[in-house]
Amino acid sequence: MKAPDFDYARPSSLQEALALLAAGEGGAQPLAGGQSLMPMLNFRISTPEMLVDLSGLPELRGLEQTPQGLRIGAMTRYCELEAFPDLAKIQPLVAAALPHIAHDAIRNRGTIGGSVALADPAAEMPAILLALGAVISLDGPNGPRDVAADDYFLGYYETACEPDELITSILLPKIEPGDSFGFHELVQRHGDYAMAGVAIRSSGIAPLAGLRIGFFGVADRALRVTALEDALNGTDGTDIAGALSHLSEIDFQGDTKITAETRAHYAGVALKRALKEMLT
Amino acid sequence: MTVSKPLPHDAAPLHVTGAARYVDDIPTPANCLHLAFGLSEIAAGRITSLDLDPVRAAPGVVAVYAASDLPGPCDCSPSNHDEPLLSDGSIHYLGQPVFLVAATSHLAARQAARLAKISYDAAPAILTIEAALAADSRFEEGPRVWTKGDVAAEMATAPHRLSGSIEIGGQEHFYLEGQASLALPQENGDIVVHSSTQHPTEIQHKVAEALNLPMHAVRCEIRRMGGGFGGKESQGNALAIATSVVAHATGRPAKMRYDRDDDMTITGKRHDFRIDYEVGHDADGRLLAVDFTQFTRCGWAMDLSLPVADRAMLHAENAYLIPAVRITSHRLRTNTQSATAYRGFGGPQGMLGMERVMDHLARSLGRDPVEIRRLNYYRPAEAVAPVASNASSTTSLDGVDPSDQDLTSRGATPERTAGSARRFGGAHSPKSRMGAENTTPYGMEVTDFLLHEMTDALLVSSDYAHRVNKVAEWNAANSILKRGIAFSPVKFGISFTLTHLNQAGALVHVYQDGSVHLNHGGTEMGQGLFQKVAQVAASRFGIDPAQVRITATDTGKVPNTSATAASSGSDLNGMAAQAACDTIRGRMADCLAGLYQARPDQVLFEAGMVRMPGHEMTFAEAAATVYAQRVSLSATGFYKTPGLDWDRIAGRGRPFFYFAYGAAVTEVVIDTLTGENRILRADLLHDAGSSLNPALDIGQIEGGYVQGAGWLTTEELVWDGKGRLRTHAPSTYKIPACSDRPDVFNVALWDAPNRAETVYRSKAVGEPPFMLGISAFLALSHAASACGPHYPDLVAPATAENILAAVNRARG
Amino acid sequence: MQTHLTINGTQRRLDLDPRTTLLDALRHHLGLTGSKKGCDHGQCGACTVMVNGRRINACLTLACMHDGDEVTTIEGIGQPDDLSPLQQAFVSEDGFQCGYCTPGQICSATAMLQEISDGWPSHVTSDLAGEAELTSDEISERMSGNLCRCSAYPNIVQAIHKAAGKNA
């Protein structure tokens, strides 16, 4: 164990937690499930002075189907979401994607809010929120506010959530009759971070309409390419070669696994596969 | 007799309850210091200033050592005295230990190690084979060259020529238990070291040398390792020396354990290679001349690179009789981790070069690669009549009833007989090569060649011919998913090529209650050596293995041992233990014969009893009786492998006692859009001689295959342009997971007695099956070949991206 | 700081530096060295333990985050003279070689068998609402967070089948 020096606090209310974050002046790091933060601490990528454990905050709990959609308390663990009754009917995209997110032992600790707050560019959840048009509820010194997923993911581990703010919950809007979903990721192995992946929501399939396609594992953040969505809307989604040219808008990144060129190719393959599965 | 029984590992109940202790599980003694290295941040150059004051001032730090604070160079090298424990000012790779911190906790030591202020004068780093060649940066004065026949003449007159090159990546051992050492200071300046090592005598020797002590003042003990795979043959030296130096200097126990990222950054890995080949052959695919050039990236220090590169040369022809061969080996020095032993020890790389040639040749001729291989095999062993008692283990997707696979039946299920096997491609009888001599490129006569019969049997059991057609049909009908199927043989030489290492000792005590204490020089790392040797001991005394207590390997009990390496563990230590047991048994027989008026040869040890005409007693009674007669019930045993004679400079002689054989057929599917791939089925047939323990041997074969296939598929090491290893965690370096094993996995033993006089006629099994994984690589090459007319020149490892590139090359 | 844990049914009070991971707390402060440190990054599964019945990587969580939790380690699953059915199956099927990953494999598989009997959705079949069947593929996917470098995987899967009393 080689985590850097830090203090630890487990506040019992949201206000207390926000006060700790404010007092930390950027040196305080919220700790949710820890499944991404702990390796970063061990790798010394992250060196906070204080960890603020969010597990004691009742305001961040809760998982319920509301008239607006599925409201997910930020501290909801993946395994709790997986076990939510009728999830496959209420949020089929989430149900389809969950088994691809890491391994059971990770999902038993990792939280939805933690993943969204961290915004790992290769993680599935941010792209799912983009596809679903989710709304992220934040709270902070200036009071609560809602941010659309489209405005939330800003860059490499960079989000609209200020250092003194916390995600309180995430709303996945209720699905409409006729909504279709697609999900596909290319991984070295089941449970790994994606080499390229997509999450799709479409309000119709013949033709495609109101498409929202979240890409992940391709660039510095999860993102949509609206020109590509526009090119596909109104088509039957079988011939996408022309639309794929819009992928050039993405600033693909290379890493130890694959080059940027291969990643660009993979993004197209993932999209084709997800569309094909959605349409059949 | 307990040999040949499929008994579980000796410590099985301890393993499954977490009670089996590894070095880091030994209760930390009070006052123990924890150590960490500070590592260099550049790959080549000199240290211009080293400020360790902030390290010394850090909380919990007790002592900090730079090279000048050590009692001497504290050399860690197993070969060349070129690895000082800490940098002498010159930097040779990124991750080289520069200073050493001793603190009151592991965490404090790690924290403090980051606080040093080091300035460097960086020099250009030589990171690749090409850069090393350009700079003529190498070990030895020039390339090592071995030849057989007149290569130039044969090549010039050959009707056909073929040439190519293959890049072969290295491999991280990823033993799940990282390197660890615990040193305990003793009275009079003596040291006891618990080290996770395959080579306790080397630890003892290097610690004694570092502290300027006689070897008798240092004792090394190791009960078990959490995996070794060659990575604990020399790579534990640094930790053992560091802990011993600190323990000696402070009088306090000292412990060191590398965190995983440090382990991967500091320690050596499998050597990566490039192998260029030029081949002269006839129209049928008979090899007439082969010229190999092997380029070996050895890293910064010599370590074991010379014998590794030698072994690559020794397996450059694998199973094929080649009239004229030249093998040129460049041992290149680079500013990277010092590459080291890894299961197969260069053999897999050399063998892959040959199998690449066979694959390339078959594709260029448009012939089935098995035909080409069989055409070029060595001649068979004369009058070989394998015993048809093949054991099998079938583990398929929805395979046999696990309840039928209990351990007692696993080793003894007759599945097929070699005699009934159909010959594949019968036109090419082995007799076609009868006229030629049957010697390797290094002049060793091959007298035990089993692959003709094994190939016959495996092709039948794997339904090869039929499946080749099915694969072709599939590929004709599918444009995106392509299948590939490949056969590959293994002929692996058994013995240390440094001849004097082929010796072993054992120490056996029989107590007056009939319980037996067994100790030998081999180390346990999961291969089941301890159980196998215990089975030998139990068999000699005719008792249950449960009566034999296997104890930790200890340089104070058995001295001057060799590393548990080169697959030699049970061959050497089994024989040594047998010799010790037989000495005691002889004394017992003499004594009892005298007491009961029998001849010593009439005293039999069987089924827990000692019997002679007119008398019988339990083994325990016999032990008590003999003890009361004042007869020694303790003995040492010693063994040295006979008949070895090897000149590594000339590349001539008999380096091996015998060869172990194996053959595999693997079928894969690839997605030509992405390079994603999967092993659909693997059929393995492996020669373990008369297996000492079929259950353990099958485990070695399955595990070796998967690890070998991992080396050639998912396991990719990536260094950046500055020499930093970027794949230093399991998140980026992908070893096989449960879902990577073949969907259908059929494993069988070729259960014929070793023709060489080994312990109970068994064969070594640690390394050879690793190379069965080559068939997976070749099957991927076959699948890529199905995409177009050109040879795909697949690079190893065949990652998805490399397969995609190969598909594109096949298409042209 | 003080943390109260129930470890293998026994209440334990720990007074630890808050940075101590649960794994280090078990290994260094409670003498429970059965849980192994393989990678310290949650990638290998050697440190798998059960917390409140769910398997987690003990290296990826701080001990102080588990005040009041029930932790089951390999030592709580069985003892050498009193093996659980799964432990017996790992012995009879040779579900290991070096044994270093074994405690994690067994903790993980123990929890996995419970997940399946609790009716958790399959990881393998596309029918997400469908109940999981214990096929070899299902086991492979659910055990993919537990690495075995010796690659004893065929026997590990066999052992899990045997303990589950079903054949794939």
Side-chain angles (χ1 to χ4, degrees), chain A residues 215 218-220 223-225 246-253 267:
Chain A
F215 287 91
V218 294
D220 63 342
L223 49 81
R224 292 170 59 200
V225 181
H246 296 290
L247 285 177
S248 63
E249 285 184 21
I250 299 175
D251 182 15
F252 288 99
Q253 312 273 311

Side-chain angles (χ1 to χ4, degrees), chain B residues 5-192:
Chain B
K5 277 198 183 152
L7 300 172
H9 283 76
D10 61 285
L14 304 184
H15 282 304
V16 300
T17 53
R21 252 184 211 171
Y22 302 81
V23 169
D24 194 35
D25 300 336
I26 297 170
T28 308
N31 217 21
C32 187
L33 293 172
H34 298 261
L35 312 189
F37 284 128
L39 309 180
S40 82
E41 286 290 320
I42 63 165
R46 291 202 61 80
I47 296 170
T48 52
S49 74
L50 177 61
D51 178 4
L52 297 177
D53 287 344
V55 185
R56 291 194 179 90
V61 170
V62 173
V64 182
Y65 304 80
S68 56
D69 303 316
L70 299 175
C74 293
D75 177 65
C76 302
S77 168
S79 59
N80 202 31
H81 281 81
D82 59 354
E83 284 185 61
L85 177 68
L86 301 173
S87 166
D88 59 4
S90 55
I91 296 294
H92 301 283
Y93 76 104
L94 200 159
Q96 183 180 349
V98 171
F99 63 94
L100 175 65
V101 188
T104 50
S105 74
H106 180 72
L107 177 59
R110 283 286 305 219
Q111 294 267 63
R114 291 158 46 217
L115 301 175
K117 295 194 169 63
I118 312 178
S119 307
Y120 305 93
D121 181 9
I126 295 169
L127 301 175
T128 62
I129 284 168
E130 289 68 28
L133 280 172
D136 198 34
S137 174
R138 62 173 71 240
F139 294 100
E140 299 187 303
E141 68 287 355
R144 196 60 52 228
V145 185
W146 298 345
T147 55
K148 169 190 171 187
D150 189 339
V151 176
E154 290 287 344
M155 199 71 82
T157 57
H160 299 277
R161 298 271 278 274
L162 177 78
S163 63
S165 179
I166 180 170
E167 284 178 34
I168 304 170
Q171 186 175 27
E172 163 64 34
H173 302 84
F174 213 97
Y175 25 65
L176 217 54
E177 177 214 21
Q179 305 277 350
S181 174
L182 170 65
L184 307 172
Q186 309 292 306
E187 65 176 32
N188 202 22
D190 291 4
I191 292 282
V192 171

Side-chain angles (χ1 to χ4, degrees), chain B residues 692-712:
Chain B
L692 285 177
N693 182 320
L696 295 175
D697 283 352
I698 285 173
Q700 287 296 298
I701 295 163
E702 290 173 343
Y705 172 88
V706 173
Q707 200 175 77
W711 166 50
L712 295 173

Side-chain angles (χ1 to χ4, degrees), chain B residues 15-16 22 24-25 172-174 176 226-227 260 342 397 401-402 407 525-526 699-700 703 706-707 715 730 736 741, chain C residues 27 34 36-38 43 74 78-80 83 87 92 97-101 106 136-137 140 149-151 153 167-168:
Chain B
H15 282 304
V16 300
Y22 302 81
D24 194 35
D25 300 336
E172 163 64 34
H173 302 84
F174 213 97
L176 217 54
R260 182 61 61 178
Y342 193 135
L397 183 62
D401 182 347
L407 284 167
M525 60 194 106
Q700 287 296 298
V706 173
Q707 200 175 77
E715 297 186 35
R741 77 194 195 288
Chain C
R27 289 181 54 80
K36 302 301 180 194
K37 182 168 283 198
Q43 295 277 334
I74 186 69
Q79 290 294 315
L83 301 178
Q87 289 170 322
S92 69
Q97 287 176 27
C98 82
Y100 201 77
C101 72
I106 290 175
S136 294
D137 272 358
S140 297
R149 186 43 153 168
C150 307
S151 292
Y153 296 123
N167 304 322

Side-chain angles (χ1 to χ4, degrees), chain B residues 394-412:
Chain B
T394 299
T395 339
S396 61
L397 183 62
D398 293 300
V400 293
D401 182 347
S403 63
D404 290 334
Q405 292 284 300
D406 68 3
L407 284 167
T408 47
S409 69
R410 275 183 74 185

